[in-house]
PDB file of all heavy atoms in Angstrom:
ATOM      1  N   ALA R 109     -25.325 -17.517 -10.519  1.00 87.00           N
ATOM      2  CA  ALA R 109     -24.801 -18.783 -10.750  1.00 87.00           C
ATOM      3  C   ALA R 109     -25.638 -19.555 -11.764  1.00 87.00           C
ATOM      4  O   ALA R 109     -25.105 -20.133 -12.706  1.00 87.00           O
ATOM      5  CB  ALA R 109     -24.794 -19.600  -9.393  1.00 87.00           C
ATOM      6  N   ILE R 110     -26.893 -19.384 -11.706  1.00 90.00           N
ATOM      7  CA  ILE R 110     -27.811 -20.014 -12.662  1.00 90.00           C
ATOM      8  C   ILE R 110     -27.582 -19.545 -14.036  1.00 90.00           C
ATOM      9  O   ILE R 110     -27.472 -20.262 -15.033  1.00 90.00           O
ATOM     10  CB  ILE R 110     -29.315 -19.918 -12.234  1.00 90.00           C
ATOM     11  CG1 ILE R 110     -29.533 -20.777 -10.977  1.00 90.00           C
ATOM     12  CG2 ILE R 110     -30.258 -20.332 -13.377  1.00 90.00           C
ATOM     13  CD1 ILE R 110     -30.819 -20.509 -10.277  1.00 90.00           C
ATOM     14  N   ARG R 111     -27.558 -18.186 -14.187  1.00 89.00           N
ATOM     15  CA  ARG R 111     -27.317 -17.597 -15.536  1.00 89.00           C
ATOM     16  C   ARG R 111     -26.017 -18.084 -16.070  1.00 89.00           C
ATOM     17  O   ARG R 111     -25.924 -18.375 -17.328  1.00 89.00           O
ATOM     18  CB  ARG R 111     -27.329 -16.030 -15.334  1.00 89.00           C
ATOM     19  CG  ARG R 111     -28.684 -15.426 -15.206  1.00 89.00           C
ATOM     20  CD  ARG R 111     -28.648 -13.965 -15.481  1.00 89.00           C
ATOM     21  NE  ARG R 111     -27.694 -13.229 -14.692  1.00 89.00           N
ATOM     22  CZ  ARG R 111     -27.998 -12.677 -13.530  1.00 89.00           C
ATOM     23  NH1 ARG R 111     -29.296 -12.757 -13.090  1.00 89.00           N
ATOM     24  NH2 ARG R 111     -27.098 -12.082 -12.792  1.00 89.00           N
ATOM     25  N   ALA R 112     -24.976 -18.093 -15.274  1.00 88.00           N
ATOM     26  CA  ALA R 112     -23.638 -18.550 -15.718  1.00 88.00           C
ATOM     27  C   ALA R 112     -23.686 -19.988 -16.193  1.00 88.00           C
ATOM     28  O   ALA R 112     -23.071 -20.365 -17.266  1.00 88.00           O
ATOM     29  CB  ALA R 112     -22.611 -18.279 -14.675  1.00 88.00           C
ATOM     30  N   LEU R 113     -24.339 -20.910 -15.410  1.00 89.00           N
ATOM     31  CA  LEU R 113     -24.331 -22.342 -15.757  1.00 89.00           C
ATOM     32  C   LEU R 113     -25.113 -22.509 -17.021  1.00 89.00           C
ATOM     33  O   LEU R 113     -24.767 -23.342 -17.869  1.00 89.00           O
ATOM     34  CB  LEU R 113     -24.959 -23.079 -14.592  1.00 89.00           C
ATOM     35  CG  LEU R 113     -24.051 -23.179 -13.289  1.00 89.00           C
ATOM     36  CD1 LEU R 113     -24.888 -23.711 -12.080  1.00 89.00           C
ATOM     37  CD2 LEU R 113     -22.863 -24.086 -13.591  1.00 89.00           C
ATOM     38  N   LEU R 114     -26.271 -21.797 -17.162  1.00 89.00           N
ATOM     39  CA  LEU R 114     -27.100 -21.952 -18.363  1.00 89.00           C
ATOM     40  C   LEU R 114     -26.390 -21.402 -19.621  1.00 89.00           C
ATOM     41  O   LEU R 114     -26.655 -21.803 -20.704  1.00 89.00           O
ATOM     42  CB  LEU R 114     -28.434 -21.274 -18.168  1.00 89.00           C
ATOM     43  CG  LEU R 114     -29.351 -21.932 -17.194  1.00 89.00           C
ATOM     44  CD1 LEU R 114     -30.659 -21.091 -16.977  1.00 89.00           C
ATOM     45  CD2 LEU R 114     -29.676 -23.338 -17.595  1.00 89.00           C
ATOM     46  N   ALA R 115     -25.396 -20.493 -19.390  1.00 87.00           N
ATOM     47  CA  ALA R 115     -24.637 -19.912 -20.505  1.00 87.00           C
ATOM     48  C   ALA R 115     -23.479 -20.864 -20.901  1.00 87.00           C
ATOM     49  O   ALA R 115     -22.682 -20.495 -21.792  1.00 87.00           O
ATOM     50  CB  ALA R 115     -24.151 -18.574 -20.139  1.00 87.00           C
ATOM     51  N   GLY R 116     -23.297 -21.889 -20.162  1.00 85.00           N
ATOM     52  CA  GLY R 116     -22.243 -22.846 -20.504  1.00 85.00           C
ATOM     53  C   GLY R 116     -21.018 -22.843 -19.545  1.00 85.00           C
ATOM     54  O   GLY R 116     -20.148 -23.660 -19.749  1.00 85.00           O
ATOM     55  N   ARG R 117     -21.044 -22.044 -18.527  1.00 86.00           N
ATOM     56  CA  ARG R 117     -19.962 -22.122 -17.538  1.00 86.00           C
ATOM     57  C   ARG R 117     -20.144 -23.370 -16.757  1.00 86.00           C
ATOM     58  O   ARG R 117     -21.174 -23.934 -16.475  1.00 86.00           O
ATOM     59  CB  ARG R 117     -20.054 -20.948 -16.509  1.00 86.00           C
ATOM     60  CG  ARG R 117     -19.734 -19.574 -17.138  1.00 86.00           C
ATOM     61  CD  ARG R 117     -18.271 -19.378 -17.295  1.00 86.00           C
ATOM     62  NE  ARG R 117     -17.534 -19.298 -16.018  1.00 86.00           N
ATOM     63  CZ  ARG R 117     -17.442 -18.233 -15.188  1.00 86.00           C
ATOM     64  NH1 ARG R 117     -18.049 -17.101 -15.584  1.00 86.00           N
ATOM     65  NH2 ARG R 117     -16.780 -18.306 -14.088  1.00 86.00           N
ATOM     66  N   SER R 118     -19.014 -23.954 -16.282  1.00 86.00           N
ATOM     67  CA  SER R 118     -18.976 -25.080 -15.399  1.00 86.00           C
ATOM     68  C   SER R 118     -18.986 -24.770 -13.955  1.00 86.00           C
ATOM     69  O   SER R 118     -18.582 -23.635 -13.627  1.00 86.00           O
ATOM     70  CB  SER R 118     -17.773 -25.986 -15.791  1.00 86.00           C
ATOM     71  OG  SER R 118     -16.586 -25.369 -15.363  1.00 86.00           O
ATOM     72  N   VAL R 119     -19.343 -25.733 -13.115  1.00 87.00           N
ATOM     73  CA  VAL R 119     -19.258 -25.522 -11.681  1.00 87.00           C
ATOM     74  C   VAL R 119     -17.815 -25.235 -11.320  1.00 87.00           C
ATOM     75  O   VAL R 119     -17.539 -24.326 -10.481  1.00 87.00           O
ATOM     76  CB  VAL R 119     -19.822 -26.746 -10.843  1.00 87.00           C
ATOM     77  CG1 VAL R 119     -19.571 -26.552  -9.413  1.00 87.00           C
ATOM     78  CG2 VAL R 119     -21.318 -26.893 -11.138  1.00 87.00           C
ATOM     79  N   ALA R 120     -16.859 -25.972 -11.880  1.00 87.00           N
ATOM     80  CA  ALA R 120     -15.462 -25.815 -11.590  1.00 87.00           C
ATOM     81  C   ALA R 120     -14.979 -24.379 -11.838  1.00 87.00           C
ATOM     82  O   ALA R 120     -14.273 -23.787 -11.075  1.00 87.00           O
ATOM     83  CB  ALA R 120     -14.624 -26.838 -12.358  1.00 87.00           C
ATOM     84  N   SER R 121     -15.431 -23.761 -12.957  1.00 85.00           N
ATOM     85  CA  SER R 121     -15.013 -22.456 -13.297  1.00 85.00           C
ATOM     86  C   SER R 121     -15.658 -21.423 -12.444  1.00 85.00           C
ATOM     87  O   SER R 121     -15.047 -20.253 -12.342  1.00 85.00           O
ATOM     88  CB  SER R 121     -15.381 -22.110 -14.817  1.00 85.00           C
ATOM     89  OG  SER R 121     -16.785 -21.956 -14.936  1.00 85.00           O
ATOM     90  N   LEU R 122     -16.771 -21.655 -11.710  1.00 85.00           N
ATOM     91  CA  LEU R 122     -17.379 -20.757 -10.812  1.00 85.00           C
ATOM     92  C   LEU R 122     -16.718 -20.892  -9.482  1.00 85.00           C
ATOM     93  O   LEU R 122     -16.461 -19.900  -8.826  1.00 85.00           O
ATOM     94  CB  LEU R 122     -18.862 -21.108 -10.751  1.00 85.00           C
ATOM     95  CG  LEU R 122     -19.666 -20.791 -12.051  1.00 85.00           C
ATOM     96  CD1 LEU R 122     -21.125 -21.064 -11.804  1.00 85.00           C
ATOM     97  CD2 LEU R 122     -19.467 -19.413 -12.596  1.00 85.00           C
ATOM     98  N   VAL R 123     -16.439 -22.076  -9.038  1.00 83.00           N
ATOM     99  CA  VAL R 123     -15.742 -22.219  -7.682  1.00 83.00           C
ATOM    100  C   VAL R 123     -14.315 -21.701  -7.840  1.00 83.00           C
ATOM    101  O   VAL R 123     -13.768 -21.097  -6.918  1.00 83.00           O
ATOM    102  CB  VAL R 123     -15.790 -23.703  -7.298  1.00 83.00           C
ATOM    103  CG1 VAL R 123     -15.063 -23.936  -5.994  1.00 83.00           C
ATOM    104  CG2 VAL R 123     -17.226 -24.135  -7.091  1.00 83.00           C
ATOM    105  N   TYR R 124     -13.670 -22.046  -8.961  1.00 83.00           N
ATOM    106  CA  TYR R 124     -12.228 -21.659  -9.176  1.00 83.00           C
ATOM    107  C   TYR R 124     -12.125 -20.756 -10.406  1.00 83.00           C
ATOM    108  O   TYR R 124     -11.706 -21.196 -11.542  1.00 83.00           O
ATOM    109  CB  TYR R 124     -11.389 -22.886  -9.377  1.00 83.00           C
ATOM    110  CG  TYR R 124     -11.392 -23.828  -8.163  1.00 83.00           C
ATOM    111  CD1 TYR R 124     -11.980 -25.096  -8.199  1.00 83.00           C
ATOM    112  CD2 TYR R 124     -10.783 -23.434  -6.929  1.00 83.00           C
ATOM    113  CE1 TYR R 124     -11.948 -25.897  -7.139  1.00 83.00           C
ATOM    114  CE2 TYR R 124     -10.753 -24.233  -5.852  1.00 83.00           C
ATOM    115  CZ  TYR R 124     -11.317 -25.486  -5.955  1.00 83.00           C
ATOM    116  OH  TYR R 124     -11.340 -26.352  -4.895  1.00 83.00           O
ATOM    117  N   PRO R 125     -12.553 -19.456 -10.306  1.00 80.00           N
ATOM    118  CA  PRO R 125     -12.487 -18.646 -11.443  1.00 80.00           C
ATOM    119  C   PRO R 125     -10.998 -18.363 -11.881  1.00 80.00           C
ATOM    120  O   PRO R 125     -10.174 -18.181 -10.968  1.00 80.00           O
ATOM    121  CB  PRO R 125     -13.207 -17.261 -11.039  1.00 80.00           C
ATOM    122  CG  PRO R 125     -13.005 -17.320  -9.552  1.00 80.00           C
ATOM    123  CD  PRO R 125     -13.029 -18.816  -9.153  1.00 80.00           C
ATOM    124  N   PRO R 126     -10.725 -18.352 -13.170  1.00 76.00           N
ATOM    125  CA  PRO R 126      -9.368 -18.034 -13.584  1.00 76.00           C
ATOM    126  C   PRO R 126      -8.892 -16.674 -13.002  1.00 76.00           C
ATOM    127  O   PRO R 126      -9.684 -15.695 -12.970  1.00 76.00           O
ATOM    128  CB  PRO R 126      -9.443 -17.991 -15.121  1.00 76.00           C
ATOM    129  CG  PRO R 126     -10.654 -18.847 -15.456  1.00 76.00           C
ATOM    130  CD  PRO R 126     -11.627 -18.620 -14.277  1.00 76.00           C
ATOM    131  N   LEU R 127      -7.660 -16.626 -12.610  1.00 75.00           N
ATOM    132  CA  LEU R 127      -7.093 -15.392 -12.010  1.00 75.00           C
ATOM    133  C   LEU R 127      -6.929 -14.362 -13.050  1.00 75.00           C
ATOM    134  O   LEU R 127      -6.967 -13.114 -12.779  1.00 75.00           O
ATOM    135  CB  LEU R 127      -5.769 -15.691 -11.361  1.00 75.00           C
ATOM    136  CG  LEU R 127      -5.781 -16.598 -10.126  1.00 75.00           C
ATOM    137  CD1 LEU R 127      -4.344 -16.869  -9.657  1.00 75.00           C
ATOM    138  CD2 LEU R 127      -6.505 -15.899  -8.996  1.00 75.00           C
ATOM    139  N   PHE R 128      -6.663 -14.742 -14.284  1.00 66.00           N
ATOM    140  CA  PHE R 128      -6.113 -13.760 -15.325  1.00 66.00           C
ATOM    141  C   PHE R 128      -7.218 -13.500 -16.331  1.00 66.00           C
ATOM    142  O   PHE R 128      -7.078 -13.897 -17.517  1.00 66.00           O
ATOM    143  CB  PHE R 128      -4.792 -14.348 -15.931  1.00 66.00           C
ATOM    144  CG  PHE R 128      -3.839 -14.545 -14.829  1.00 66.00           C
ATOM    145  CD1 PHE R 128      -3.631 -15.764 -14.261  1.00 66.00           C
ATOM    146  CD2 PHE R 128      -2.948 -13.535 -14.503  1.00 66.00           C
ATOM    147  CE1 PHE R 128      -2.692 -16.034 -13.264  1.00 66.00           C
ATOM    148  CE2 PHE R 128      -2.018 -13.744 -13.472  1.00 66.00           C
ATOM    149  CZ  PHE R 128      -1.955 -14.947 -12.891  1.00 66.00           C
ATOM    150  N   THR R 129      -8.322 -12.907 -15.967  1.00 54.00           N
ATOM    151  CA  THR R 129      -9.342 -12.502 -16.807  1.00 54.00           C
ATOM    152  C   THR R 129      -9.786 -11.071 -16.480  1.00 54.00           C
ATOM    153  O   THR R 129      -9.560 -10.618 -15.373  1.00 54.00           O
ATOM    154  CB  THR R 129     -10.592 -13.405 -16.654  1.00 54.00           C
ATOM    155  OG1 THR R 129     -11.106 -13.272 -15.303  1.00 54.00           O
ATOM    156  CG2 THR R 129     -10.265 -14.907 -16.897  1.00 54.00           C
ATOM    157  N   PRO R 130     -10.409 -10.386 -17.474  1.00 43.00           N
ATOM    158  CA  PRO R 130     -10.855  -9.030 -17.127  1.00 43.00           C
ATOM    159  C   PRO R 130     -11.859  -8.967 -15.921  1.00 43.00           C
ATOM    160  O   PRO R 130     -11.735  -8.078 -15.131  1.00 43.00           O
ATOM    161  CB  PRO R 130     -11.526  -8.603 -18.434  1.00 43.00           C
ATOM    162  CG  PRO R 130     -10.913  -9.357 -19.508  1.00 43.00           C
ATOM    163  CD  PRO R 130     -10.576 -10.672 -18.792  1.00 43.00           C
ATOM    164  N   ALA R 131     -12.720 -10.022 -15.788  1.00 45.00           N
ATOM    165  CA  ALA R 131     -13.557 -10.044 -14.691  1.00 45.00           C
ATOM    166  C   ALA R 131     -12.942 -10.175 -13.352  1.00 45.00           C
ATOM    167  O   ALA R 131     -13.274  -9.534 -12.352  1.00 45.00           O
ATOM    168  CB  ALA R 131     -14.652 -11.196 -14.888  1.00 45.00           C
ATOM    169  N   LYS R 132     -11.830 -10.993 -13.405  1.00 45.00           N
ATOM    170  CA  LYS R 132     -11.066 -11.150 -12.164  1.00 45.00           C
ATOM    171  C   LYS R 132     -10.328  -9.889 -11.779  1.00 45.00           C
ATOM    172  O   LYS R 132     -10.291  -9.518 -10.662  1.00 45.00           O
ATOM    173  CB  LYS R 132     -10.097 -12.332 -12.341  1.00 45.00           C
ATOM    174  CG  LYS R 132      -9.404 -12.700 -11.007  1.00 45.00           C
ATOM    175  CD  LYS R 132     -10.379 -13.247  -9.972  1.00 45.00           C
ATOM    176  CE  LYS R 132      -9.695 -13.663  -8.704  1.00 45.00           C
ATOM    177  NZ  LYS R 132     -10.692 -14.157  -7.676  1.00 45.00           N
ATOM    178  N   ALA R 133      -9.824  -9.187 -12.764  1.00 40.00           N
ATOM    179  CA  ALA R 133      -9.142  -7.953 -12.506  1.00 40.00           C
ATOM    180  C   ALA R 133     -10.081  -6.886 -11.897  1.00 40.00           C
ATOM    181  O   ALA R 133      -9.704  -6.157 -10.990  1.00 40.00           O
ATOM    182  CB  ALA R 133      -8.578  -7.356 -13.868  1.00 40.00           C
TER     183      ALA R 133
END
Side-chain angles (χ1 to χ4, degrees):
I110 291 167
R111 285 198 301 270
L113 291 168
L114 291 176
R117 293 280 297 276
S118 67
V119 173
S121 72
L122 297 182
V123 176
Y124 298 112
L127 292 175
F128 303 91
T129 63
K132 188 65 179 179

